[in-house]
Amino acid sequence: MTQDMTKEQKNSALLMSLIMNFQTGAMQAMGKIKNPVTDKIEFSLEQASMYIDMVDMLLEKTKGNLSAEESGFVSKILAELKMNYVNVKKNN
């Protein structure tokens, strides 16, 4: 992040980064991507559900405080995670 960013721009970038971290954690827990630390595919639906719940909670708690772009970004990530979770759960 550059020093030329406003506080609002910086906070928006940090929020999106946090959501992407939760997305990555959920995808790893669903076995969709390798854990870069272990270099292995891991599987824990309980952990994936926790990450999804955290994104859902953040969206709910920040309602009315997000820009349209931020809200759309978080909503899209949440919908994709939920669809993946349902598909993984159905196939296991």
Side-chain angles (χ1 to χ4, degrees):
M1 282 179 248
T2 67
Q3 293 188 6
D4 295 340
M5 295 175 90
T6 66
K7 184 173 182 172
E8 186 175 324
Q9 290 170 325
K10 182 178 178 184
N11 285 342
S12 181
L14 289 170
L15 174 69
M16 290 183 183
S17 180
L18 178 65
I19 297 301
M20 287 187 292
N21 283 334
F22 290 150
Q23 177 189 32
T24 299
M27 295 301 273
Q28 286 174 2
M30 287 186 276
K32 298 282 186 175
I33 57 177
K34 279 186 183 180
N35 180 327
V37 175
T38 63
D39 197 39
K40 295 180 180 175
I41 297 291
E42 299 172 353
F43 189 78
S44 171
L45 281 180
E46 184 177 323
Q47 189 174 17
S49 178
M50 181 190 71
Y51 281 117
I52 294 167
D53 288 346
M54 285 191 288
V55 174
D56 205 7
M57 175 273 303
L58 282 171
L59 184 61
E60 182 64 32
K61 289 288 190 179
T62 57
K63 192 173 275 183
N65 291 314
L66 299 179
S67 69
E69 178 184 341
E70 292 165 337
S71 181
F73 176 79
V74 177
S75 295
K76 181 180 178 215
I77 296 290
L78 186 58
E80 288 175 2
L81 288 175
K82 286 180 176 183
M83 279 193 312
N84 275 285
Y85 182 86
V86 168
N87 287 334
V88 168
K89 191 169 183 175
K90 182 172 61 171
N91 293 323
N92 286 305

